[in-house]
mmCIF file of all heavy atoms in Angstrom:
data_model
loop_
_atom_site.group_PDB
_atom_site.id
_atom_site.type_symbol
_atom_site.label_atom_id
_atom_site.label_comp_id
_atom_site.label_asym_id
_atom_site.label_seq_id
_atom_site.Cartn_x
_atom_site.Cartn_y
_atom_site.Cartn_z
ATOM 1 N N ARG A 627 -90.572 -91.028 20.512
ATOM 2 C CA ARG A 627 -90.308 -92.196 19.663
ATOM 3 C C ARG A 627 -89.231 -91.877 18.639
ATOM 4 O O ARG A 627 -89.216 -90.802 18.035
ATOM 5 C CB ARG A 627 -91.580 -92.597 18.920
ATOM 6 C CG ARG A 627 -92.504 -93.520 19.702
ATOM 7 C CD ARG A 627 -93.637 -93.984 18.819
ATOM 8 N NE ARG A 627 -94.115 -92.904 17.959
ATOM 9 C CZ ARG A 627 -94.988 -91.971 18.330
ATOM 10 N NH1 ARG A 627 -95.463 -91.960 19.567
ATOM 11 N NH2 ARG A 627 -95.379 -91.033 17.489
ATOM 12 N N LEU A 628 -88.333 -92.843 18.432
ATOM 13 C CA LEU A 628 -87.297 -92.706 17.408
ATOM 14 C C LEU A 628 -87.472 -93.892 16.483
ATOM 15 O O LEU A 628 -87.405 -95.038 16.914
ATOM 16 C CB LEU A 628 -85.909 -92.748 18.068
ATOM 17 C CG LEU A 628 -84.750 -92.531 17.125
ATOM 18 C CD1 LEU A 628 -84.742 -91.102 16.606
ATOM 19 C CD2 LEU A 628 -83.432 -92.802 17.849
ATOM 20 N N ARG A 629 -87.754 -93.612 15.184
ATOM 21 C CA ARG A 629 -88.015 -94.715 14.256
ATOM 22 C C ARG A 629 -86.930 -94.738 13.187
ATOM 23 O O ARG A 629 -86.596 -93.692 12.617
ATOM 24 C CB ARG A 629 -89.377 -94.516 13.616
ATOM 25 C CG ARG A 629 -89.652 -95.543 12.542
ATOM 26 C CD ARG A 629 -91.001 -95.361 11.946
ATOM 27 N NE ARG A 629 -92.055 -95.584 12.909
ATOM 28 C CZ ARG A 629 -93.304 -95.169 12.721
ATOM 29 N NH1 ARG A 629 -93.614 -94.497 11.644
ATOM 30 N NH2 ARG A 629 -94.229 -95.413 13.620
ATOM 31 N N LEU A 630 -86.364 -95.949 12.940
ATOM 32 C CA LEU A 630 -85.322 -96.099 11.920
ATOM 33 C C LEU A 630 -85.862 -96.982 10.810
ATOM 34 O O LEU A 630 -86.300 -98.105 11.075
ATOM 35 C CB LEU A 630 -84.083 -96.761 12.514
ATOM 36 C CG LEU A 630 -83.596 -96.170 13.836
ATOM 37 C CD1 LEU A 630 -82.406 -96.953 14.349
ATOM 38 C CD2 LEU A 630 -83.224 -94.714 13.643
ATOM 39 N N ILE A 631 -85.873 -96.469 9.563
ATOM 40 C CA ILE A 631 -86.294 -97.307 8.440
ATOM 41 C C ILE A 631 -85.248 -97.199 7.340
ATOM 42 O O ILE A 631 -84.447 -96.250 7.337
ATOM 43 C CB ILE A 631 -87.673 -96.885 7.876
ATOM 44 C CG1 ILE A 631 -87.654 -95.396 7.501
ATOM 45 C CG2 ILE A 631 -88.771 -97.165 8.872
ATOM 46 C CD1 ILE A 631 -88.893 -94.984 6.727
ATOM 47 N N ALA A 632 -85.229 -98.149 6.407
ATOM 48 C CA ALA A 632 -84.255 -98.099 5.311
ATOM 49 C C ALA A 632 -84.753 -98.946 4.159
ATOM 50 O O ALA A 632 -85.508 -99.891 4.350
ATOM 51 C CB ALA A 632 -82.906 -98.607 5.784
ATOM 52 N N HIS A 633 -84.338 -98.564 2.942
ATOM 53 C CA HIS A 633 -84.641 -99.388 1.765
ATOM 54 C C HIS A 633 -83.625 -99.084 0.676
ATOM 55 O O HIS A 633 -82.978 -98.024 0.688
ATOM 56 C CB HIS A 633 -86.061 -99.107 1.263
ATOM 57 C CG HIS A 633 -86.218 -97.704 0.757
ATOM 58 N ND1 HIS A 633 -86.547 -96.650 1.577
ATOM 59 C CD2 HIS A 633 -86.073 -97.173 -0.477
ATOM 60 C CE1 HIS A 633 -86.599 -95.539 0.869
ATOM 61 N NE2 HIS A 633 -86.309 -95.830 -0.383
ATOM 62 N N ALA A 634 -83.481 -100.032 -0.274
ATOM 63 C CA ALA A 634 -82.564 -99.824 -1.404
ATOM 64 C C ALA A 634 -83.330 -99.078 -2.484
ATOM 65 O O ALA A 634 -84.532 -99.277 -2.658
ATOM 66 C CB ALA A 634 -82.080 -101.157 -1.924
ATOM 67 N N GLU A 635 -82.629 -98.169 -3.203
ATOM 68 C CA GLU A 635 -83.295 -97.364 -4.227
ATOM 69 C C GLU A 635 -82.275 -97.175 -5.351
ATOM 70 O O GLU A 635 -81.365 -96.359 -5.225
ATOM 71 C CB GLU A 635 -83.667 -96.015 -3.603
ATOM 72 C CG GLU A 635 -84.773 -95.281 -4.306
ATOM 73 C CD GLU A 635 -85.137 -94.003 -3.530
ATOM 74 O OE1 GLU A 635 -85.840 -94.091 -2.510
ATOM 75 O OE2 GLU A 635 -84.686 -92.922 -3.944
ATOM 76 N N GLY A 636 -82.378 -97.947 -6.433
ATOM 77 C CA GLY A 636 -81.384 -97.878 -7.514
ATOM 78 C C GLY A 636 -80.010 -98.229 -6.965
ATOM 79 O O GLY A 636 -79.839 -99.204 -6.246
ATOM 80 N N GLY A 637 -79.029 -97.353 -7.268
ATOM 81 C CA GLY A 637 -77.660 -97.620 -6.810
ATOM 82 C C GLY A 637 -77.427 -97.132 -5.393
ATOM 83 O O GLY A 637 -76.293 -97.040 -4.946
ATOM 84 N N GLN A 638 -78.503 -96.763 -4.696
ATOM 85 C CA GLN A 638 -78.330 -96.185 -3.359
ATOM 86 C C GLN A 638 -79.116 -96.961 -2.308
ATOM 87 O O GLN A 638 -80.029 -97.714 -2.628
ATOM 88 C CB GLN A 638 -78.861 -94.752 -3.365
ATOM 89 C CG GLN A 638 -78.035 -93.817 -4.201
ATOM 90 C CD GLN A 638 -78.502 -92.389 -4.022
ATOM 91 O OE1 GLN A 638 -79.699 -92.136 -3.930
ATOM 92 N NE2 GLN A 638 -77.564 -91.469 -3.965
ATOM 93 N N VAL A 639 -78.683 -96.719 -1.052
ATOM 94 C CA VAL A 639 -79.499 -97.212 0.049
ATOM 95 C C VAL A 639 -79.914 -95.975 0.853
ATOM 96 O O VAL A 639 -79.078 -95.108 1.140
ATOM 97 C CB VAL A 639 -78.707 -98.186 0.943
ATOM 98 C CG1 VAL A 639 -79.514 -98.531 2.185
ATOM 99 C CG2 VAL A 639 -78.374 -99.440 0.169
ATOM 100 N N VAL A 640 -81.212 -95.853 1.119
ATOM 101 C CA VAL A 640 -81.717 -94.680 1.823
ATOM 102 C C VAL A 640 -82.127 -95.098 3.226
ATOM 103 O O VAL A 640 -82.800 -96.113 3.399
ATOM 104 C CB VAL A 640 -82.952 -94.110 1.092
ATOM 105 C CG1 VAL A 640 -83.518 -92.929 1.866
ATOM 106 C CG2 VAL A 640 -82.575 -93.699 -0.313
ATOM 107 N N MET A 641 -81.662 -94.335 4.227
ATOM 108 C CA MET A 641 -82.060 -94.643 5.599
ATOM 109 C C MET A 641 -82.674 -93.378 6.197
ATOM 110 O O MET A 641 -82.195 -92.276 5.937
ATOM 111 C CB MET A 641 -80.828 -95.050 6.393
ATOM 112 C CG MET A 641 -81.133 -95.236 7.848
ATOM 113 S SD MET A 641 -79.717 -95.923 8.708
ATOM 114 C CE MET A 641 -80.325 -95.797 10.375
ATOM 115 N N GLU A 642 -83.748 -93.520 6.954
ATOM 116 C CA GLU A 642 -84.366 -92.347 7.570
ATOM 117 C C GLU A 642 -84.420 -92.497 9.083
ATOM 118 O O GLU A 642 -84.749 -93.566 9.598
ATOM 119 C CB GLU A 642 -85.771 -92.119 7.010
ATOM 120 C CG GLU A 642 -85.715 -91.676 5.559
ATOM 121 C CD GLU A 642 -87.036 -91.126 5.053
ATOM 122 O OE1 GLU A 642 -88.085 -91.400 5.667
ATOM 123 O OE2 GLU A 642 -86.993 -90.424 4.029
ATOM 124 N N VAL A 643 -84.047 -91.397 9.772
ATOM 125 C CA VAL A 643 -84.094 -91.362 11.227
ATOM 126 C C VAL A 643 -85.175 -90.353 11.584
ATOM 127 O O VAL A 643 -85.019 -89.161 11.330
ATOM 128 C CB VAL A 643 -82.730 -90.907 11.791
ATOM 129 C CG1 VAL A 643 -82.791 -90.813 13.301
ATOM 130 C CG2 VAL A 643 -81.633 -91.864 11.352
ATOM 131 N N ALA A 644 -86.329 -90.843 12.099
ATOM 132 C CA ALA A 644 -87.466 -89.950 12.327
ATOM 133 C C ALA A 644 -87.747 -89.853 13.818
ATOM 134 O O ALA A 644 -87.759 -90.861 14.517
ATOM 135 C CB ALA A 644 -88.694 -90.491 11.610
ATOM 136 N N ASP A 645 -87.938 -88.618 14.312
ATOM 137 C CA ASP A 645 -88.269 -88.482 15.725
ATOM 138 C C ASP A 645 -89.673 -87.902 15.870
ATOM 139 O O ASP A 645 -90.300 -87.502 14.883
ATOM 140 C CB ASP A 645 -87.224 -87.627 16.457
ATOM 141 C CG ASP A 645 -87.168 -86.212 15.966
ATOM 142 O OD1 ASP A 645 -88.238 -85.627 15.720
ATOM 143 O OD2 ASP A 645 -86.046 -85.672 15.829
ATOM 144 N N SER A 646 -90.183 -87.865 17.094
ATOM 145 C CA SER A 646 -91.525 -87.323 17.316
ATOM 146 C C SER A 646 -91.423 -86.010 18.077
ATOM 147 O O SER A 646 -92.237 -85.687 18.915
ATOM 148 C CB SER A 646 -92.364 -88.331 18.104
ATOM 149 O OG SER A 646 -91.711 -88.608 19.336
ATOM 150 N N GLY A 647 -90.348 -85.261 17.740
ATOM 151 C CA GLY A 647 -90.125 -83.976 18.413
ATOM 152 C C GLY A 647 -90.914 -82.865 17.741
ATOM 153 O O GLY A 647 -91.739 -83.107 16.860
ATOM 154 N N PRO A 648 -90.629 -81.603 18.109
ATOM 155 C CA PRO A 648 -91.404 -80.465 17.586
ATOM 156 C C PRO A 648 -91.001 -80.068 16.164
ATOM 157 O O PRO A 648 -91.605 -79.163 15.600
ATOM 158 C CB PRO A 648 -91.062 -79.340 18.570
ATOM 159 C CG PRO A 648 -89.726 -79.713 19.109
ATOM 160 C CD PRO A 648 -89.642 -81.193 19.116
ATOM 161 N N GLY A 649 -89.970 -80.713 15.557
ATOM 162 C CA GLY A 649 -89.536 -80.330 14.212
ATOM 163 C C GLY A 649 -88.558 -79.167 14.257
ATOM 164 O O GLY A 649 -88.385 -78.541 15.302
ATOM 165 N N VAL A 650 -87.932 -78.895 13.096
ATOM 166 C CA VAL A 650 -86.984 -77.780 13.008
ATOM 167 C C VAL A 650 -87.756 -76.580 12.464
ATOM 168 O O VAL A 650 -88.399 -76.699 11.429
ATOM 169 C CB VAL A 650 -85.830 -78.122 12.036
ATOM 170 C CG1 VAL A 650 -84.789 -77.015 12.046
ATOM 171 C CG2 VAL A 650 -85.207 -79.459 12.380
ATOM 172 N N PRO A 651 -87.708 -75.421 13.144
ATOM 173 C CA PRO A 651 -88.425 -74.256 12.608
ATOM 174 C C PRO A 651 -88.006 -73.996 11.156
ATOM 175 O O PRO A 651 -86.809 -74.044 10.836
ATOM 176 C CB PRO A 651 -87.973 -73.111 13.524
ATOM 177 C CG PRO A 651 -87.514 -73.784 14.774
ATOM 178 C CD PRO A 651 -87.026 -75.132 14.396
ATOM 179 N N GLU A 652 -89.009 -73.745 10.264
ATOM 180 C CA GLU A 652 -88.723 -73.576 8.831
ATOM 181 C C GLU A 652 -87.640 -72.528 8.587
ATOM 182 O O GLU A 652 -86.819 -72.663 7.692
ATOM 183 C CB GLU A 652 -90.007 -73.165 8.079
ATOM 184 C CG GLU A 652 -90.989 -74.299 7.838
ATOM 185 C CD GLU A 652 -90.411 -75.441 6.994
ATOM 186 O OE1 GLU A 652 -89.634 -75.155 6.074
ATOM 187 O OE2 GLU A 652 -90.746 -76.615 7.282
ATOM 188 N N ALA A 653 -87.638 -71.474 9.395
ATOM 189 C CA ALA A 653 -86.707 -70.365 9.162
ATOM 190 C C ALA A 653 -85.256 -70.788 9.296
ATOM 191 O O ALA A 653 -84.365 -70.148 8.729
ATOM 192 C CB ALA A 653 -87.010 -69.236 10.131
ATOM 193 N N ILE A 654 -84.981 -71.858 10.042
ATOM 194 C CA ILE A 654 -83.575 -72.228 10.238
ATOM 195 C C ILE A 654 -83.237 -73.543 9.558
ATOM 196 O O ILE A 654 -82.099 -74.001 9.614
ATOM 197 C CB ILE A 654 -83.200 -72.302 11.741
ATOM 198 C CG1 ILE A 654 -84.042 -73.384 12.432
ATOM 199 C CG2 ILE A 654 -83.360 -70.968 12.413
ATOM 200 C CD1 ILE A 654 -83.462 -73.792 13.774
ATOM 201 N N LEU A 655 -84.246 -74.142 8.866
ATOM 202 C CA LEU A 655 -84.029 -75.461 8.276
ATOM 203 C C LEU A 655 -82.822 -75.465 7.343
ATOM 204 O O LEU A 655 -82.061 -76.435 7.283
ATOM 205 C CB LEU A 655 -85.294 -75.880 7.525
ATOM 206 C CG LEU A 655 -85.417 -77.346 7.146
ATOM 207 C CD1 LEU A 655 -85.243 -78.240 8.355
ATOM 208 C CD2 LEU A 655 -86.765 -77.616 6.498
ATOM 209 N N SER A 656 -82.599 -74.334 6.621
ATOM 210 C CA SER A 656 -81.510 -74.328 5.642
ATOM 211 C C SER A 656 -80.164 -74.087 6.319
ATOM 212 O O SER A 656 -79.136 -74.142 5.677
ATOM 213 C CB SER A 656 -81.759 -73.235 4.627
ATOM 214 O OG SER A 656 -81.708 -72.000 5.289
ATOM 215 N N ARG A 657 -80.152 -73.785 7.608
ATOM 216 C CA ARG A 657 -78.873 -73.404 8.225
ATOM 217 C C ARG A 657 -78.337 -74.446 9.197
ATOM 218 O O ARG A 657 -77.215 -74.309 9.683
ATOM 219 C CB ARG A 657 -79.051 -72.072 8.969
ATOM 220 C CG ARG A 657 -79.499 -70.957 8.043
ATOM 221 C CD ARG A 657 -79.284 -69.622 8.669
ATOM 222 N NE ARG A 657 -77.905 -69.449 9.099
ATOM 223 C CZ ARG A 657 -77.532 -68.573 10.018
ATOM 224 N NH1 ARG A 657 -78.422 -67.811 10.597
ATOM 225 N NH2 ARG A 657 -76.276 -68.454 10.359
ATOM 226 N N ILE A 658 -79.127 -75.487 9.500
ATOM 227 C CA ILE A 658 -78.703 -76.367 10.592
ATOM 228 C C ILE A 658 -77.431 -77.142 10.271
ATOM 229 O O ILE A 658 -76.761 -77.615 11.170
ATOM 230 C CB ILE A 658 -79.825 -77.349 11.021
ATOM 231 C CG1 ILE A 658 -80.310 -78.159 9.834
ATOM 232 C CG2 ILE A 658 -80.966 -76.619 11.675
ATOM 233 C CD1 ILE A 658 -81.317 -79.237 10.233
ATOM 234 N N PHE A 659 -77.064 -77.266 8.959
ATOM 235 C CA PHE A 659 -75.832 -77.999 8.628
ATOM 236 C C PHE A 659 -74.610 -77.089 8.632
ATOM 237 O O PHE A 659 -73.504 -77.526 8.371
ATOM 238 C CB PHE A 659 -75.968 -78.686 7.263
ATOM 239 C CG PHE A 659 -77.010 -79.768 7.268
ATOM 240 C CD1 PHE A 659 -78.242 -79.578 6.677
ATOM 241 C CD2 PHE A 659 -76.747 -80.974 7.895
ATOM 242 C CE1 PHE A 659 -79.204 -80.572 6.710
ATOM 243 C CE2 PHE A 659 -77.703 -81.974 7.926
ATOM 244 C CZ PHE A 659 -78.934 -81.772 7.339
ATOM 245 N N GLU A 660 -74.809 -75.780 8.906
ATOM 246 C CA GLU A 660 -73.659 -74.873 8.961
ATOM 247 C C GLU A 660 -72.874 -75.125 10.239
ATOM 248 O O GLU A 660 -73.488 -75.350 11.290
ATOM 249 C CB GLU A 660 -74.130 -73.418 8.996
ATOM 250 C CG GLU A 660 -74.567 -72.907 7.670
ATOM 251 C CD GLU A 660 -75.087 -71.483 7.785
ATOM 252 O OE1 GLU A 660 -74.786 -70.803 8.786
ATOM 253 O OE2 GLU A 660 -75.807 -71.077 6.870
ATOM 254 N N PRO A 661 -71.515 -75.057 10.157
ATOM 255 C CA PRO A 661 -70.746 -75.231 11.381
ATOM 256 C C PRO A 661 -71.095 -74.137 12.394
ATOM 257 O O PRO A 661 -71.322 -72.991 11.998
ATOM 258 C CB PRO A 661 -69.290 -75.095 10.934
ATOM 259 C CG PRO A 661 -69.305 -74.965 9.464
ATOM 260 C CD PRO A 661 -70.692 -74.847 8.984
ATOM 261 N N PHE A 662 -71.134 -74.500 13.641
ATOM 262 C CA PHE A 662 -71.358 -73.585 14.768
ATOM 263 C C PHE A 662 -72.769 -73.018 14.810
ATOM 264 O O PHE A 662 -73.046 -72.093 15.549
ATOM 265 C CB PHE A 662 -70.337 -72.438 14.790
ATOM 266 C CG PHE A 662 -68.929 -72.931 14.866
ATOM 267 C CD1 PHE A 662 -68.043 -72.733 13.823
ATOM 268 C CD2 PHE A 662 -68.489 -73.643 15.966
ATOM 269 C CE1 PHE A 662 -66.746 -73.230 13.882
ATOM 270 C CE2 PHE A 662 -67.199 -74.130 16.033
ATOM 271 C CZ PHE A 662 -66.331 -73.933 14.991
ATOM 272 N N PHE A 663 -73.682 -73.564 13.988
ATOM 273 C CA PHE A 663 -75.065 -73.103 14.096
ATOM 274 C C PHE A 663 -75.778 -73.955 15.140
ATOM 275 O O PHE A 663 -75.874 -75.170 15.019
ATOM 276 C CB PHE A 663 -75.797 -73.204 12.753
ATOM 277 C CG PHE A 663 -77.225 -72.752 12.886
ATOM 278 C CD1 PHE A 663 -77.546 -71.412 12.809
ATOM 279 C CD2 PHE A 663 -78.240 -73.664 13.172
ATOM 280 C CE1 PHE A 663 -78.845 -70.984 12.985
ATOM 281 C CE2 PHE A 663 -79.544 -73.237 13.357
ATOM 282 C CZ PHE A 663 -79.845 -71.890 13.258
ATOM 283 N N THR A 664 -76.247 -73.332 16.217
ATOM 284 C CA THR A 664 -76.943 -74.083 17.254
ATOM 285 C C THR A 664 -78.047 -73.224 17.838
ATOM 286 O O THR A 664 -77.945 -71.995 17.857
ATOM 287 C CB THR A 664 -75.969 -74.535 18.358
ATOM 288 O OG1 THR A 664 -76.719 -75.234 19.340
ATOM 289 C CG2 THR A 664 -75.260 -73.369 19.020
#
Side-chain angles (χ1 to χ4, degrees):
R627 274 187 321 277
L628 184 68
R629 174 179 296 163
L630 312 177
I631 55 170
H633 65 273
E635 202 175 282
Q638 292 187 321
V639 172
V640 177
M641 174 172 173
E642 291 194 341
V643 178
D645 64 41
S646 58
V650 185
E652 284 299 324
I654 62 163
L655 195 54
S656 64
R657 301 197 54 201
I658 56 174
F659 294 105
E660 283 177 19
F662 302 114
F663 179 84
T664 179

